[in-house]
């Protein structure tokens, strides 16, 4: 993508300025937007994300001691011993990546690292997964190891968030960050991590619009949804909600469990239908599925907000084919499918409805 070489050189220069030496490795990973298939990944279901143009770059070198030294214009400077990093701090991703690589056979050593990212944090576009994947790529290179295969790389990055950040996230973000391709949607089975890449439709654009309202997933709501889905799974006696049919839902007496499971069951169906629409170039059907998804996320999953709803409605009324919240919800971004000629007017309507809104990315085939 345009500008990648310049940014790579810039992060190397930042590292040299901070640590007085050329970094041993530089790596990057992209943020992502999820077109459809929300809150299905940790239920071993199906998703359809694609990468953003924005990415996180990491420049690092191994140290002779075990100290973690980090600097980032976005996240700040920090220096900690392993085991002393505050939970959720960005340096905890570094600590987690070091631990993952040690399990893979690398000597456990300290790291000097510089991070530069234009993936917006707290926007629901996978800034954390991009950081984890980029760190693992760079550490593998610094140790002279082969890069882990995509599935292992994604699993390792997911474990960093589970064990060092405290977020019980699914695998989607890490997998698409590891293997996604420009202007392609990735159909991912979150149980076996099989995937296929599908070019986006001609004549339409995907707008990723930040609501101006952020959220921090580790502060309870996301993990609460994970727990509610596990309770519904256990009540039904299945391995995951991916294994539930619409007919099974009537066995859930608890209203919350029923609504959460209903969203997951029908969201998986929407992913399959969206793949069919994508293959046939049926943008109108794809957009209608996005609108259904948003309504389900708002009513059954309770993860929308007045601001997100206003943005979706404004885009729809301005002629968008479809729009929905993307990411975990509670704030962050919406994703909007528009005919190419309508993109500017839809974006203007969104920003009029929510003055704090801003365009994050604009993706076309």
């Amino acid at each position: 993508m345009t500008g990648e070489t310049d940014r790579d050189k810039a992060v190397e220069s930042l590292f040299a300025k901070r640590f007085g030496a050329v970094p041993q490795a530089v790596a990057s990973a992209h943020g992502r937007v999820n077109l459809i298939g929300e809150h299905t990944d940790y239920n071993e279901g199906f998703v359809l994300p694609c990468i953003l143009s924005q990415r996180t770059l990491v420049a690092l070198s191994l140290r002779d001691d075990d100290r973690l030294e980090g600097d980032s214009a976005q996240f700040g400077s920090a220096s900690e011993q392993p085991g002393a990093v505050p939970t959720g701090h960005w340096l905890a991703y570094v600590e987690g990546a070091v631990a993952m690589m040690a399990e893979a056979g690398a000597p456990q050593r300290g790291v000097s690292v510089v991070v530069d990212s234009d993936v917006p944090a707290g926007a629901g576009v996978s800034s954390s997964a991009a950081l984890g994947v980029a760190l693992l790529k760079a550490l593998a290179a610094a140790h002279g190891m082969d890069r882990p295969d995509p599935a292992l790389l994604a699993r390792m990055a997911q474990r960093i968030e589970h064990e060092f950040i405290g977020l019980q996230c699914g695998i989607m973000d890490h997998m698409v960050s590891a293997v996604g391709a420009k202007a392609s949607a990735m159909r991912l089975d979150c149980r076996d991590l099989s995937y296929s890449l599908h070019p986006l439709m001609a004549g339409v654009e995907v707008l990723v619009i930040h609501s101006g309202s952020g959220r921090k997933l580790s502060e309870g709501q996301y993990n609460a949804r994970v727990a509610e889905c596990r309770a519904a799974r256990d009540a039904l006696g299945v391995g995951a909600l991916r294994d539930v049919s619409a007919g099974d839902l009537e066995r859930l007496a608890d209203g919350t469990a029923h609504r959460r499971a209903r969203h997951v069951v029908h969201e998986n169906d929407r992913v399959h239908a969206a793949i069919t629409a994508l293959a046939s170039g049926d943008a109108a059907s794809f957009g209608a599925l996005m609108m259904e998804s948003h309504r389900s996320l708002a009513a059954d999953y309770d993860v929308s907000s007045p601001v997100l709803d206003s943005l979706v409605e404004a885009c729809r009324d301005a002629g968008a084919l479809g729009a929905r919240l993307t990411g975990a919800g509670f704030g962050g971004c919406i994703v909007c499918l528009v005919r190419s000629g309508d993109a500017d007017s839809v974006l203007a309507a969104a920003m009029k409805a929510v003055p704090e809104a801003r365009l994050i990315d604009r993706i076309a085939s």
Side-chain angles (χ1 to χ4, degrees):
M1 294 183 183
T2 303
E4 285 196 4
T5 300
D6 290 343
R7 284 194 65 205
D8 289 347
K9 291 178 178 177
V11 78
E12 288 184 28
S13 296
L14 289 169
F15 185 95
K17 182 178 180 181
R18 172 65 176 80
F19 294 107
V22 175
Q24 289 179 301
V26 175
S28 71
H30 289 266
R32 69 96 188 96
V33 64
N34 191 23
L35 301 180
I36 200 163
E38 215 66 74
H39 289 277
T40 52
D41 60 342
Y42 54 81
N43 290 295
E44 299 185 13
F46 300 89
V47 293
L48 191 67
C50 63
I51 61 169
L52 300 176
S53 59
Q54 288 85 355
R55 63 188 180 124
T56 294
L57 292 98
V58 168
L60 61 77
S61 290
L62 304 175
R63 298 172 60 90
D64 293 330
D65 57 23
D66 65 352
R67 195 159 190 84
L68 307 174
E69 297 272 357
D71 199 6
S72 169
Q74 295 78 33
F75 310 131
S77 298
S79 176
E80 293 287 355
Q81 290 291 130
V85 182
T87 300
H89 191 277
W90 77 267
L91 208 58
Y93 288 90
V94 182
E95 182 179 20
V98 169
M100 294 301 111
M101 293 307 300
E103 286 190 15
Q108 191 154 356
R109 293 166 58 183
V111 176
S112 298
V113 58
V114 167
V115 174
D116 178 56
S117 181
D118 61 357
V119 183
V125 291
S126 193
S127 60
S128 59
L131 176 58
V133 170
L135 283 165
L136 290 166
K137 288 180 179 179
L139 280 170
H143 281 291
M145 302 171 66
D146 291 336
R147 181 183 297 176
D149 71 75
L152 178 58
L153 183 64
R155 293 291 189 201
M156 293 166 74
Q158 182 190 36
R159 283 186 58 201
I160 293 172
E161 303 214 50
H162 285 189
E163 298 172 23
F164 292 83
I165 306 302
L167 178 64
Q168 300 306 305
C169 57
I171 195 68
M172 170 180 63
D173 298 356
H174 316 87
M175 192 67 184
V176 69
S177 189
V179 299
K182 183 180 179 182
S184 294
M186 184 176 80
R187 181 263 191 200
L188 174 65
D189 181 332
C190 295
R191 171 166 285 167
D192 62 15
L193 300 191
S194 60
Y195 67 92
S196 54
L197 298 175
H198 303 263
L200 297 179
M201 293 173 283
V204 297
E205 295 184 37
V206 173
L207 304 179
V208 185
I209 305 172
H210 196 323
S211 66
S213 173
R215 83 288 175 273
K216 190 170 182 181
L217 298 185
S218 56
E219 290 179 350
Q221 290 294 329
Y222 184 94
N223 286 347
R225 294 301 180 279
V226 175
E228 288 163 354
C229 285
R230 288 174 178 167
R233 172 202 68 188
D234 292 345
L236 291 170
V238 296
L241 289 183
R242 175 238 182 87
D243 301 313
V244 174
S245 69
D248 294 327
L249 296 174
E250 299 310 314
R251 295 195 285 121
L252 287 170
D254 179 80
T256 297
H258 185 276
R259 288 187 295 116
R260 304 296 188 253
R262 181 168 60 194
H263 166 75
V264 173
V265 169
H266 293 301
E267 188 77 348
N268 280 323
D269 291 341
R270 282 187 283 268
V271 173
H272 299 316
I275 292 290
T276 300
L278 192 62
S280 63
D282 188 350
S285 292
F286 197 107
L289 291 164
M290 294 173 73
M291 296 303 301
E292 288 178 18
S293 175
H294 184 80
R295 288 190 289 269
S296 179
L297 287 162
D300 279 348
Y301 224 72
D302 294 325
V303 294
S304 191
S305 69
V307 172
L308 292 172
D309 291 341
S310 293
L311 271 180
V312 168
E313 291 166 10
C315 289
R316 178 200 61 199
D317 292 345
L321 296 166
R324 57 181 289 277
L325 70 85
T326 187
F330 317 110
C333 291
I334 69 162
V335 60
C336 183
L337 184 70
V338 299
R339 297 179 184 86
S340 296
D342 295 338
D344 291 336
S345 59
V346 170
L347 181 60
M351 296 173 72
K352 181 178 180 180
V354 180
E356 297 80 12
R358 66 185 190 275
L359 181 69
I360 296 296
D361 207 358
R362 189 167 173 168
I363 308 167
S365 60

